[in-house]
Amino acid sequence: MSEPDFLTRTRISYDAIADAYAEWIRDMEVSPWDDAVLAAFARRVAGRGPVLDAGCGEGRITAQLVSMEVDARGVDLSPEMIRNAQAFRPDLRFEVGSLMDLPYEDEAYAGVVAWYSLIHVPPSRLRAAVAELVRVLEPGGWFLAAFQTDAETFRPETLAEIPVSLEFHRPDAAEFGALLGDLGLDVDATTVRAADDGPGHPTPHAYVVARKRG
Ligand SMILES: C[S@@+](CC[C@H](N)C(=O)[O-])C[C@H]1O[C@@H](n2cnc3c(N)ncnc32)[C@H](O)[C@@H]1O
């Protein structure tokens, strides 16, 4: 079966911007909320088993989790993002794969993170994407998603002056929590923070932590 058009466009776009993205993200000022949420999640999952960073990009969140004693590894749709992740941290495990169809057994992970990766899944496919992430999570395992929220879909034609065909969706945090509930998770915490100051950061951000029942 041929892959959906949005996946092909997302892969090609991230392959094209991979080097520019790596440069931009390493210079980006990280919100203290990011650190706080990742630390809270790390306390939940450290020592429980492997944790998947789904849509890991160039690996910064995988590395941050590992620095907090989490057995994290990354998977990403874009081979070029994975190439940069592996160059950034040759000691960590990264591989190419889609979060819509993960190359892992059921219940293989004690934790799953989707850190600004579900944003590229169209709303009509979000349920299927989250269900796939939940499939690989063990009963009692922990889930974390971060995403921009409360804004219109963003469709840039270029990023870093490189042509792209990308959509950035902004799910509603309460609706996202309800979806997790439908898919067999209990929401542990939902945090919505205000947009960052300055141009280019126009949306609030949501973090949702949940635990798989069972
Ligand atoms: C905004 S970047 C975030 C990267 C990383 N999580 C971070 O915060 O630095 C989005 C990432 O999600 C990946 N991605 C998008 N759709 C995906 C899919 N269906 N499966 C796996 N990765 C995907 C992209 O290739 C890209 O690396």
Side-chain angles (χ1 to χ4, degrees), residues 6-7 10-11 14-15 21 24-25 28 53-61 75-79 81-82 97-102 113-121 129 148 166 168:
F6 80 91
L7 285 180
T10 302
R11 179 190 299 105
Y14 271 100
D15 275 351
Y21 185 91
W24 169 74
I25 204 94
M28 187 184 78
D53 181 6
C56 62
E58 47 64 72
R60 70 192 174 107
I61 300 300
V75 65
D76 199 280
L77 184 64
S78 156
M81 295 296 271
I82 288 295
S98 171
L99 59 77
M100 304 295 300
D101 183 18
L102 290 166
V113 177
W115 196 261
Y116 296 91
S117 52
L118 289 169
I119 59 174
H120 297 299
V121 176
Q148 294 97 345
L166 275 177
F168 293 72

